[in-house]
């Protein structure tokens, strides 16, 4: 199937075409550019939610509940379960699929696990591109679940309109979240597994961490029990409040900031690819010269950049 017919299929709501397009984005091949060009005019209608937190915090269970909440309002939803550490989609996140089984037959729910595969830009590029695919296909909401452990993952959820950071009762989670840079991106905090002891301790620790962090806004903290659905309505209300609290200009500004980051990432990846493809031979020679103390690494880097530039200009 050609990229064109996949795009046409996805726009018409064909699930197979949707799945194939997301695979194409994961692979990050040369078709991604033309596909994005075709999809882009159809995007901009979806509201995106990021769900992040430590492994096992209950993100998938919460996501399933939120999907139920969104569906109860009659909206369509796409879910991306992103595993940045896995080179394989599907397998590693099979648990998520099983967990979200209750929506498996709903045509207005599209659930997909994602991994980086070949995409040079990694998850931080592949995820917004997959979100565009779902957006263009007319999904009202897009939920992105990702484990919040490193910079790349944090970047993924920060690319969403509302980011929910999931903690658990007791001490320790908020410190970990702070270390992972999650406090800065949180629009709403959830203390999930609130059927366990230590909700108050978690809240106190979170308040302390927030006081130490440079964050000025004070996100709401919502206790939930994802397994029973307790607190989900309160969480949804908090998400809606966060959405409503942003003016159109705020939202446009935030989206522009993310788009700027994306454009920069694409440009950096292109540059990196060019550097690696075309300058491999030159790099070996430069390394020899630097090792022989004929050049220093900075001069060598300048020559390498120069070579990339002239490669780009010249037809060769
Ligand atoms: N007691 C209790 N258990 C919960 C709750 N929410 C989720 N769990 C359980 O916690 C375990 C992990 O839940 P998941 O939803 O898979 O957590 P996750 O954050 O998606 O996990 P990863 O994607 O592997 O990082 C499962 O056994 C859930 O049934 C809750 O509110 N209370
Ligand atoms: Mg999960």
């Amino acid at each position: 199937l050609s990229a064109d017919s996949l795009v046409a299929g996805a726009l018409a709501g064909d699930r197979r075409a949707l799945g194939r397009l997301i695979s194409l984005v994961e692979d990050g091949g040369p078709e991604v550019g033309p596909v994005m060009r075709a999809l882009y005019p159809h995007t901009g209608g979806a509201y995106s939610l990021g769900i992040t937190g430590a492994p096992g915090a209950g993100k998938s269970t919460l996501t399933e509940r939120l999907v139920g909440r969104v569906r109860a309002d009659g909206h369509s939803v796409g879910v991306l379960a992103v595993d940045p550490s896995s080179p394989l989609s599907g397998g590693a996140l099979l648990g998520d699929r099983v967990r979200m089984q209750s929506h498996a037959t709903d045509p207005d729910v599209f659930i997909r696990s994602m991994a980086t595969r070949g995409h040079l830009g990694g998850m931080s590029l592949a995820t917004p591109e997959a979100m565009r695919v779902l957006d263009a296909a007319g999904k009202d909401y897009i939920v992105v679940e990702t484990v919040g452990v490193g910079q790349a993952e944090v970047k993924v959820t920060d690319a969403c309109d509302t980011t929910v950071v999931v903690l658990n009762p007791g001490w320790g989670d908020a410190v970990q979240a702070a270390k992972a840079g999650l406090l800065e991106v949180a629009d709403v905090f959830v203390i999930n597994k609130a059927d366990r002891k230590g909700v108050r301790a978690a809240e106190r620790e979170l308040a302390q961490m927030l006081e130490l962090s440079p964050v000025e806004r004070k996100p709401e903290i919502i206790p939930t029990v994802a397994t029973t659905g307790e607190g989900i309505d309160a969480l949804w209300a908090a998400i809606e409040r966060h959405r409503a609290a942003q003016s159109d200009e705020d939202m446009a500004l935030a989206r522009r900031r993310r788009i700027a980051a994306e454009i920069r990432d694409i440009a950096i990846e292109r540059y990196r690819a060019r550097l690696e493809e075309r300058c491999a031979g030159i790099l070996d020679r430069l390394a020899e010269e630097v090792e022989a103390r004929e050049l220093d690494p900075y001069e060598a880097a300048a020559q390498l950049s120069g070579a990339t530039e002239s490669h780009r200009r010249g037809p060769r």
Side-chain angles (χ1 to χ4, degrees):
L1 268 154
S2 72
D4 279 350
S5 62
L6 283 180
V7 167
L11 292 177
D14 173 25
R15 300 171 74 85
R16 261 195 64 217
L18 257 180
R20 296 271 303 270
L21 277 181
I22 293 176
S23 301
L24 190 142
V25 161
E26 283 179 311
D27 292 335
E31 305 95 338
V32 176
V35 162
M36 285 301 135
R37 196 170 311 136
L39 288 177
Y40 205 75
H42 303 277
T43 61
Y47 194 83
S48 55
L49 291 175
I51 311 286
T52 190
K59 300 177 296 296
S60 298
T61 319
L62 268 174
T63 298
E64 167 158 32
R65 291 287 173 186
L66 288 174
V67 167
R69 188 64 190 69
V70 167
R71 292 296 298 128
D73 286 345
H75 300 302
S76 59
V77 56
V79 177
L80 296 171
V82 176
D83 185 352
S85 60
S86 170
L88 297 169
S89 56
L93 287 153
L94 199 61
D96 293 308
R97 292 225 181 120
V98 174
R99 217 155 282 137
M100 296 186 209
Q101 204 78 60
S102 59
H103 304 292
T105 56
D106 184 340
D108 286 316
V109 179
F110 184 88
I111 297 171
R112 171 65 192 246
S113 300
M114 267 188 80
T116 354
R117 304 218 311 220
H119 205 306
L120 275 173
M123 268 310 156
S124 52
L125 268 181
T127 308
E129 286 167 358
M131 289 165 72
R132 297 258 162 69
V133 173
L134 294 172
D135 188 351
K139 297 292 175 239
D140 300 312
Y141 285 90
I142 298 167
V143 183
V144 180
E145 176 195 335
T146 187
V147 181
V149 289
Q151 221 192 349
E153 296 86 335
V154 171
K155 212 169 150 191
V156 165
T157 20
D158 196 28
C160 294
D161 294 312
T162 299
T163 300
V164 177
V165 172
V166 185
L167 306 174
N168 288 150
W171 290 91
D173 269 24
V175 173
Q176 290 310 317
K179 280 186 187 162
L182 287 179
L183 299 193
E184 284 84 350
V185 299
D187 299 308
V188 177
F189 285 104
V190 163
I191 300 182
N192 186 47
K193 308 197 185 182
D195 51 328
R196 296 187 177 165
K197 272 193 299 225
V199 176
R200 289 290 305 137
E203 280 177 355
R204 275 201 303 277
E205 186 188 37
L206 184 54
Q208 284 172 12
M209 296 314 300
L210 283 172
E211 231 154 78
L212 295 173
S213 87
V215 188
E216 274 191 23
R217 61 213 157 86
K218 284 273 175 271
E220 290 189 54
I221 304 173
I222 312 290
T224 61
V225 184
T227 39
T228 64
E230 210 176 311
I232 297 301
D233 285 342
L235 171 57
W236 189 249
I239 290 168
E240 299 251 88
R241 273 193 295 276
H242 173 256
R243 182 178 188 172
Q246 297 168 278
S247 67
D248 287 350
E249 294 91 89
D250 289 346
M251 198 113 69
L253 202 71
R255 287 185 176 184
R256 273 208 298 278
R257 181 177 56 80
R258 296 194 299 255
I259 289 169
E262 185 183 351
I263 296 171
R264 196 179 49 211
D265 282 351
I266 294 170
I268 289 171
E269 279 323 317
R270 292 208 162 161
Y271 184 77
R272 197 198 307 274
R274 199 156 62 222
L275 200 68
E276 271 161 21
E277 270 169 34
R278 299 197 187 169
C279 300
I282 307 172
L283 187 58
D284 287 344
R285 178 178 61 72
L286 289 171
E288 269 173 44
E289 291 180 21
V290 170
E291 199 220 6
R293 300 297 184 279
E294 288 160 20
L295 272 183
D296 71 78
Y298 278 82
E299 280 173 69
Q303 287 192 21
L304 189 64
S305 326
T308 321
E309 286 301 300
S310 53
H311 270 300
R312 190 164 56 100
R313 283 193 214 102
R316 280 202 70 154

